[in-house]
Amino acid sequence: MEKEAIKFLKECETKSFDRKHRINIKYNISRYNASVARGLQQFKDLYQATVKAALIKHKTLENLDSYLMSFEKNFTKNGGTVIWASDGKDALTAIGKILNSNNVNLVVKSKSMTTEEISVVPYLEANGIEAIETDLGEYIVQISGDKPYHIVTPAMHLSAEEIAKIYHEKFGLAPDSKPGEITSFTRTKLRKNFLQAGACITGANFLVAETGSVVLTENEGNGVMSISWAPVHIVVAGIEKLIPGIEDLNLFLPLLASRGTGQNLTTYNSIISGPGGDSQASDFSPGNMYVILLDNGRTNLLRNIPQRRALSCIRCGACLNACPVYRNIGGHSYGAVYSGPIGAVITPHLKNFKEYKHLSYASSLCGKCSEVCPVRINLHRLLLHNRNYAVKNYCTARLEKILIIAWKKAMLNRKFIDKPPHSIKKFFVNKITGKMWGKRRIAPAMESESFSVLWKKRKLSKK
Ligand code: SF4
């Protein structure tokens, strides 16, 4: 078994039986479900809306090269700079160069999974640049030395009491501080950072090819604050973030908001089509703007025809909340930035397929993830495609292969199955299933006689 798979199983074991963790997740997801039910009511025909969104994303992915070129052309025309990064190292080097040439020693960051993916904050810290997360959830995770738990709500695993305890230990706030007091304290603290920062780093929810625009959607206003004050704005965006035209936002923004948080529309939606042109302090738009278009394994995924559909993902997080596996093991167990069903599909392609293929097996294949996806990604089928890919590419453990071949041979041979002694067969089956069943469950006991013997006995008894 690969190292990552062993770690994953260990984490799952711990998290699944952590009662406090289960209570926090259950509570937060039940609140999410109630909001989403309300948010979805805005659609007259939700099915048609999702089909349309899926088709637009499909068209974009099938012609990604030309949409990327249009974005570059239009964004450059608007005065911005596009940087192509084939991996995290390229992107980090580019960020380092931009910050150095602008003498930046403080960066404000808004929530972005892409920057998590390439570990921007550790890189900046290692290079003597302070980086402050400004999204409240990310900020909590940062000050507690934790990792984001969920792609939309990074601190979802923590209760209000646990957050109050973190603020008490870090900043001396009362241990029973209320959420309002904590947010107010954070707002005041971050305000200084917004004013002092030499640059801001954000992700992008969408990139519009037609206009060369970066679209940011958020609820706290920290993204707007960042881009309004920092003289330099660096956007790190995956190449799959493209949508063809500005009018497509009419569909994607409500879909993302309703499935992401149950809102009709996210509170702040910014469309930034280039720098403001003032290289000094900004007048509500940065003087210099860079978009780093990141590949980092995405073209590997694009190469796999069925699985490439996963690049349509708009990161709403709905599939995570719907997944019975995620709800039990939580976001950290996946050992990757992208967790839940979407993470299980894309992580093996973005990282090392052999090391992370086990994630595609962590699913009951119930299909709930595909059902809730606003861009109709058939996630549970893609998990099966990944499993198939794993087997075909000899990523399966040798012992597992041998066992499957032996099992198949035995199952196709009636005489062998019926041959006594049954006790030996029972011993082997119990040995194998007993281990896989886990230490907290007892494997179903095998009958003491074979099926054919039991069947014959039953027939005789009926005569
Ligand atoms: S795969 Fe679909 S449901 Fe899951 S995060 Fe992406 S868009 Fe949302």
mmCIF file of all heavy atoms in Angstrom, residues 255-288:
data_model
loop_
_atom_site.group_PDB
_atom_site.id
_atom_site.type_symbol
_atom_site.label_atom_id
_atom_site.label_comp_id
_atom_site.label_asym_id
_atom_site.label_seq_id
_atom_site.Cartn_x
_atom_site.Cartn_y
_atom_site.Cartn_z
ATOM 1 N N LEU A 255 -25.695 30.306 -9.712
ATOM 2 C CA LEU A 255 -25.505 28.865 -9.467
ATOM 3 C C LEU A 255 -24.464 28.631 -8.381
ATOM 4 O O LEU A 255 -24.658 27.820 -7.479
ATOM 5 C CB LEU A 255 -25.054 28.159 -10.750
ATOM 6 C CG LEU A 255 -26.150 27.642 -11.679
ATOM 7 C CD1 LEU A 255 -25.520 26.991 -12.905
ATOM 8 C CD2 LEU A 255 -27.081 26.652 -10.997
ATOM 9 N N LEU A 256 -23.371 29.373 -8.481
ATOM 10 C CA LEU A 256 -22.302 29.218 -7.489
ATOM 11 C C LEU A 256 -22.784 29.644 -6.102
ATOM 12 O O LEU A 256 -22.550 28.951 -5.103
ATOM 13 C CB LEU A 256 -21.081 30.057 -7.916
ATOM 14 C CG LEU A 256 -19.892 30.083 -6.971
ATOM 15 C CD1 LEU A 256 -19.366 28.688 -6.696
ATOM 16 C CD2 LEU A 256 -18.755 30.944 -7.532
ATOM 17 N N ALA A 257 -23.503 30.772 -6.058
ATOM 18 C CA ALA A 257 -23.964 31.275 -4.755
ATOM 19 C C ALA A 257 -24.981 30.336 -4.122
ATOM 20 O O ALA A 257 -24.906 30.032 -2.938
ATOM 21 C CB ALA A 257 -24.569 32.665 -4.931
ATOM 22 N N SER A 258 -25.925 29.849 -4.918
ATOM 23 C CA SER A 258 -26.985 29.027 -4.311
ATOM 24 C C SER A 258 -26.456 27.675 -3.872
ATOM 25 O O SER A 258 -26.808 27.200 -2.789
ATOM 26 C CB SER A 258 -28.170 28.877 -5.263
ATOM 27 O OG SER A 258 -27.727 28.374 -6.483
ATOM 28 N N ARG A 259 -25.608 27.063 -4.666
ATOM 29 C CA ARG A 259 -25.074 25.768 -4.252
ATOM 30 C C ARG A 259 -23.945 25.907 -3.226
ATOM 31 O O ARG A 259 -23.739 25.031 -2.399
ATOM 32 C CB ARG A 259 -24.534 24.992 -5.471
ATOM 33 C CG ARG A 259 -25.584 24.180 -6.207
ATOM 34 C CD ARG A 259 -26.171 23.070 -5.374
ATOM 35 N NE ARG A 259 -27.140 22.292 -6.119
ATOM 36 C CZ ARG A 259 -28.062 21.525 -5.545
ATOM 37 N NH1 ARG A 259 -28.164 21.453 -4.244
ATOM 38 N NH2 ARG A 259 -28.896 20.825 -6.278
ATOM 39 N N GLY A 260 -23.255 27.038 -3.279
ATOM 40 C CA GLY A 260 -22.133 27.219 -2.359
ATOM 41 C C GLY A 260 -22.570 27.551 -0.945
ATOM 42 O O GLY A 260 -22.111 26.951 0.022
ATOM 43 N N THR A 261 -23.509 28.522 -0.829
ATOM 44 C CA THR A 261 -23.892 28.984 0.502
ATOM 45 C C THR A 261 -25.400 29.155 0.668
ATOM 46 O O THR A 261 -25.849 29.573 1.730
ATOM 47 C CB THR A 261 -23.210 30.351 0.797
ATOM 48 O OG1 THR A 261 -23.428 31.195 -0.333
ATOM 49 C CG2 THR A 261 -21.737 30.220 1.052
ATOM 50 N N GLY A 262 -26.155 28.893 -0.375
ATOM 51 C CA GLY A 262 -27.612 29.039 -0.271
ATOM 52 C C GLY A 262 -28.080 30.466 -0.472
ATOM 53 O O GLY A 262 -29.206 30.809 -0.133
ATOM 54 N N GLN A 263 -27.224 31.327 -1.040
ATOM 55 C CA GLN A 263 -27.635 32.714 -1.294
ATOM 56 C C GLN A 263 -28.137 32.836 -2.728
ATOM 57 O O GLN A 263 -27.772 32.023 -3.589
ATOM 58 C CB GLN A 263 -26.434 33.653 -1.131
ATOM 59 C CG GLN A 263 -25.899 33.745 0.284
ATOM 60 C CD GLN A 263 -24.529 34.381 0.299
ATOM 61 O OE1 GLN A 263 -23.534 33.727 -0.011
ATOM 62 N NE2 GLN A 263 -24.454 35.641 0.657
ATOM 63 N N ASN A 264 -28.914 33.884 -2.995
ATOM 64 C CA ASN A 264 -29.281 34.138 -4.385
ATOM 65 C C ASN A 264 -28.056 34.595 -5.157
ATOM 66 O O ASN A 264 -27.817 34.197 -6.286
ATOM 67 C CB ASN A 264 -30.357 35.223 -4.469
ATOM 68 C CG ASN A 264 -31.699 34.678 -4.047
ATOM 69 O OD1 ASN A 264 -31.828 33.488 -3.759
ATOM 70 N ND2 ASN A 264 -32.694 35.527 -3.993
ATOM 71 N N LEU A 265 -27.318 35.456 -4.512
ATOM 72 C CA LEU A 265 -26.082 35.973 -5.099
ATOM 73 C C LEU A 265 -25.118 36.240 -3.951
ATOM 74 O O LEU A 265 -25.547 36.684 -2.885
ATOM 75 C CB LEU A 265 -26.398 37.292 -5.828
ATOM 76 C CG LEU A 265 -25.540 37.674 -7.025
ATOM 77 C CD1 LEU A 265 -25.514 36.578 -8.074
ATOM 78 C CD2 LEU A 265 -26.068 38.953 -7.660
ATOM 79 N N THR A 266 -23.842 36.001 -4.168
ATOM 80 C CA THR A 266 -22.858 36.288 -3.132
ATOM 81 C C THR A 266 -22.826 37.807 -2.907
ATOM 82 O O THR A 266 -23.100 38.573 -3.831
ATOM 83 C CB THR A 266 -21.476 35.758 -3.585
ATOM 84 O OG1 THR A 266 -21.670 34.440 -4.069
ATOM 85 C CG2 THR A 266 -20.486 35.710 -2.457
ATOM 86 N N THR A 267 -22.484 38.237 -1.703
ATOM 87 C CA THR A 267 -22.613 39.660 -1.357
ATOM 88 C C THR A 267 -21.763 40.582 -2.235
ATOM 89 O O THR A 267 -22.227 41.606 -2.714
ATOM 90 C CB THR A 267 -22.218 39.860 0.121
ATOM 91 O OG1 THR A 267 -22.857 38.843 0.875
ATOM 92 C CG2 THR A 267 -22.646 41.212 0.636
ATOM 93 N N TYR A 268 -20.494 40.234 -2.410
ATOM 94 C CA TYR A 268 -19.615 41.098 -3.219
ATOM 95 C C TYR A 268 -19.159 40.335 -4.462
ATOM 96 O O TYR A 268 -18.585 39.253 -4.357
ATOM 97 C CB TYR A 268 -18.363 41.507 -2.427
ATOM 98 C CG TYR A 268 -18.680 42.267 -1.176
ATOM 99 C CD1 TYR A 268 -18.732 41.618 0.051
ATOM 100 C CD2 TYR A 268 -18.923 43.642 -1.217
ATOM 101 C CE1 TYR A 268 -19.022 42.311 1.214
ATOM 102 C CE2 TYR A 268 -19.216 44.337 -0.050
ATOM 103 C CZ TYR A 268 -19.267 43.671 1.154
ATOM 104 O OH TYR A 268 -19.555 44.354 2.298
ATOM 105 N N ASN A 269 -19.431 40.905 -5.625
ATOM 106 C CA ASN A 269 -18.980 40.304 -6.885
ATOM 107 C C ASN A 269 -18.185 41.354 -7.643
ATOM 108 O O ASN A 269 -18.730 42.394 -8.020
ATOM 109 C CB ASN A 269 -20.191 39.852 -7.704
ATOM 110 C CG ASN A 269 -20.948 38.751 -6.986
ATOM 111 O OD1 ASN A 269 -20.524 37.603 -6.962
ATOM 112 N ND2 ASN A 269 -22.055 39.107 -6.356
ATOM 113 N N SER A 270 -16.896 41.112 -7.826
ATOM 114 C CA SER A 270 -16.050 42.110 -8.490
ATOM 115 C C SER A 270 -15.613 41.585 -9.855
ATOM 116 O O SER A 270 -15.219 40.430 -9.970
ATOM 117 C CB SER A 270 -14.793 42.387 -7.666
ATOM 118 O OG SER A 270 -15.143 42.651 -6.331
ATOM 119 N N ILE A 271 -15.715 42.458 -10.833
ATOM 120 C CA ILE A 271 -15.209 42.112 -12.170
ATOM 121 C C ILE A 271 -14.046 43.069 -12.434
ATOM 122 O O ILE A 271 -14.239 44.279 -12.555
ATOM 123 C CB ILE A 271 -16.305 42.277 -13.245
ATOM 124 C CG1 ILE A 271 -17.500 41.385 -12.886
ATOM 125 C CG2 ILE A 271 -15.768 41.926 -14.630
ATOM 126 C CD1 ILE A 271 -18.709 41.565 -13.786
ATOM 127 N N ILE A 272 -12.850 42.512 -12.479
ATOM 128 C CA ILE A 272 -11.662 43.367 -12.611
ATOM 129 C C ILE A 272 -11.038 43.075 -13.972
ATOM 130 O O ILE A 272 -10.591 41.965 -14.228
ATOM 131 C CB ILE A 272 -10.635 43.065 -11.488
ATOM 132 C CG1 ILE A 272 -11.364 42.927 -10.151
ATOM 133 C CG2 ILE A 272 -9.566 44.147 -11.401
ATOM 134 C CD1 ILE A 272 -10.867 41.788 -9.324
ATOM 135 N N SER A 273 -11.040 44.101 -14.805
ATOM 136 C CA SER A 273 -10.605 43.864 -16.182
ATOM 137 C C SER A 273 -9.212 44.397 -16.479
ATOM 138 O O SER A 273 -8.833 44.548 -17.632
ATOM 139 C CB SER A 273 -11.614 44.473 -17.155
ATOM 140 O OG SER A 273 -12.862 43.897 -16.932
ATOM 141 N N GLY A 274 -8.474 44.732 -15.423
ATOM 142 C CA GLY A 274 -7.118 45.213 -15.657
ATOM 143 C C GLY A 274 -6.731 46.169 -14.556
ATOM 144 O O GLY A 274 -7.538 46.490 -13.681
ATOM 145 N N PRO A 275 -5.490 46.640 -14.569
ATOM 146 C CA PRO A 275 -5.024 47.551 -13.514
ATOM 147 C C PRO A 275 -5.610 48.952 -13.694
ATOM 148 O O PRO A 275 -6.079 49.310 -14.769
ATOM 149 C CB PRO A 275 -3.518 47.564 -13.716
ATOM 150 C CG PRO A 275 -3.323 47.234 -15.152
ATOM 151 C CD PRO A 275 -4.471 46.367 -15.586
ATOM 152 N N GLY A 276 -5.522 49.727 -12.601
ATOM 153 C CA GLY A 276 -6.053 51.084 -12.657
ATOM 154 C C GLY A 276 -5.143 52.044 -13.396
ATOM 155 O O GLY A 276 -5.549 53.119 -13.786
ATOM 156 N N GLY A 277 -3.889 51.680 -13.539
ATOM 157 C CA GLY A 277 -2.971 52.533 -14.273
ATOM 158 C C GLY A 277 -2.114 53.406 -13.389
ATOM 159 O O GLY A 277 -1.158 54.012 -13.837
ATOM 160 N N ASP A 278 -2.436 53.495 -12.099
ATOM 161 C CA ASP A 278 -1.639 54.292 -11.180
ATOM 162 C C ASP A 278 -0.671 53.371 -10.462
ATOM 163 O O ASP A 278 -1.078 52.491 -9.718
ATOM 164 C CB ASP A 278 -2.591 54.961 -10.170
ATOM 165 C CG ASP A 278 -1.843 55.835 -9.172
ATOM 166 O OD1 ASP A 278 -0.597 55.842 -9.224
ATOM 167 O OD2 ASP A 278 -2.514 56.499 -8.367
ATOM 168 N N SER A 279 0.603 53.534 -10.713
ATOM 169 C CA SER A 279 1.561 52.581 -10.147
ATOM 170 C C SER A 279 1.850 52.859 -8.672
ATOM 171 O O SER A 279 2.508 52.108 -8.003
ATOM 172 C CB SER A 279 2.863 52.593 -10.944
ATOM 173 O OG SER A 279 3.407 53.874 -10.871
ATOM 174 N N GLN A 280 1.372 53.995 -8.155
ATOM 175 C CA GLN A 280 1.525 54.271 -6.727
ATOM 176 C C GLN A 280 0.299 53.695 -6.001
ATOM 177 O O GLN A 280 -0.307 52.743 -6.459
ATOM 178 C CB GLN A 280 1.629 55.789 -6.496
ATOM 179 C CG GLN A 280 2.848 56.415 -7.148
ATOM 180 C CD GLN A 280 4.151 55.734 -6.744
ATOM 181 O OE1 GLN A 280 4.440 55.620 -5.577
ATOM 182 N NE2 GLN A 280 4.919 55.278 -7.716
ATOM 183 N N ALA A 281 -0.059 54.313 -4.858
ATOM 184 C CA ALA A 281 -1.226 53.821 -4.131
ATOM 185 C C ALA A 281 -2.441 53.871 -5.054
ATOM 186 O O ALA A 281 -2.576 54.766 -5.888
ATOM 187 C CB ALA A 281 -1.473 54.704 -2.924
ATOM 188 N N SER A 282 -3.295 52.883 -4.900
ATOM 189 C CA SER A 282 -4.370 52.762 -5.875
ATOM 190 C C SER A 282 -5.531 53.700 -5.582
ATOM 191 O O SER A 282 -5.750 54.121 -4.468
ATOM 192 C CB SER A 282 -4.890 51.347 -5.854
ATOM 193 O OG SER A 282 -5.558 51.165 -4.649
ATOM 194 N N ASP A 283 -6.273 54.040 -6.628
ATOM 195 C CA ASP A 283 -7.525 54.741 -6.448
ATOM 196 C C ASP A 283 -8.622 53.724 -6.759
ATOM 197 O O ASP A 283 -9.244 53.726 -7.771
ATOM 198 C CB ASP A 283 -7.621 55.960 -7.368
ATOM 199 C CG ASP A 283 -7.218 55.616 -8.791
ATOM 200 O OD1 ASP A 283 -6.770 54.465 -9.011
ATOM 201 O OD2 ASP A 283 -7.387 56.456 -9.674
ATOM 202 N N PHE A 284 -8.787 52.806 -5.837
ATOM 203 C CA PHE A 284 -9.755 51.727 -5.938
ATOM 204 C C PHE A 284 -9.517 50.777 -7.108
ATOM 205 O O PHE A 284 -10.421 50.206 -7.658
ATOM 206 C CB PHE A 284 -11.191 52.258 -5.918
ATOM 207 C CG PHE A 284 -11.470 52.973 -4.642
ATOM 208 C CD1 PHE A 284 -11.543 54.347 -4.606
ATOM 209 C CD2 PHE A 284 -11.583 52.264 -3.452
ATOM 210 C CE1 PHE A 284 -11.756 55.008 -3.408
ATOM 211 C CE2 PHE A 284 -11.795 52.922 -2.248
ATOM 212 C CZ PHE A 284 -11.871 54.300 -2.225
ATOM 213 N N SER A 285 -8.319 50.611 -7.505
ATOM 214 C CA SER A 285 -7.907 49.507 -8.366
ATOM 215 C C SER A 285 -6.384 49.511 -8.382
ATOM 216 O O SER A 285 -5.760 50.564 -8.293
ATOM 217 C CB SER A 285 -8.453 49.651 -9.781
ATOM 218 O OG SER A 285 -8.012 50.844 -10.349
ATOM 219 N N PRO A 286 -5.771 48.335 -8.432
ATOM 220 C CA PRO A 286 -4.316 48.281 -8.303
ATOM 221 C C PRO A 286 -3.588 48.880 -9.501
ATOM 222 O O PRO A 286 -4.093 48.882 -10.623
ATOM 223 C CB PRO A 286 -4.041 46.783 -8.182
ATOM 224 C CG PRO A 286 -5.228 46.124 -8.764
ATOM 225 C CD PRO A 286 -6.379 47.030 -8.595
ATOM 226 N N GLY A 287 -2.407 49.387 -9.219
ATOM 227 C CA GLY A 287 -1.606 49.977 -10.294
ATOM 228 C C GLY A 287 -1.049 48.929 -11.243
ATOM 229 O O GLY A 287 -0.967 49.141 -12.445
ATOM 230 N N ASN A 288 -0.672 47.786 -10.698
ATOM 231 C CA ASN A 288 -0.136 46.709 -11.529
ATOM 232 C C ASN A 288 -0.925 45.440 -11.268
ATOM 233 O O ASN A 288 -1.186 45.096 -10.113
ATOM 234 C CB ASN A 288 1.334 46.437 -11.160
ATOM 235 C CG ASN A 288 2.215 47.605 -11.550
ATOM 236 O OD1 ASN A 288 2.141 48.103 -12.664
ATOM 237 N ND2 ASN A 288 3.020 48.059 -10.608
#
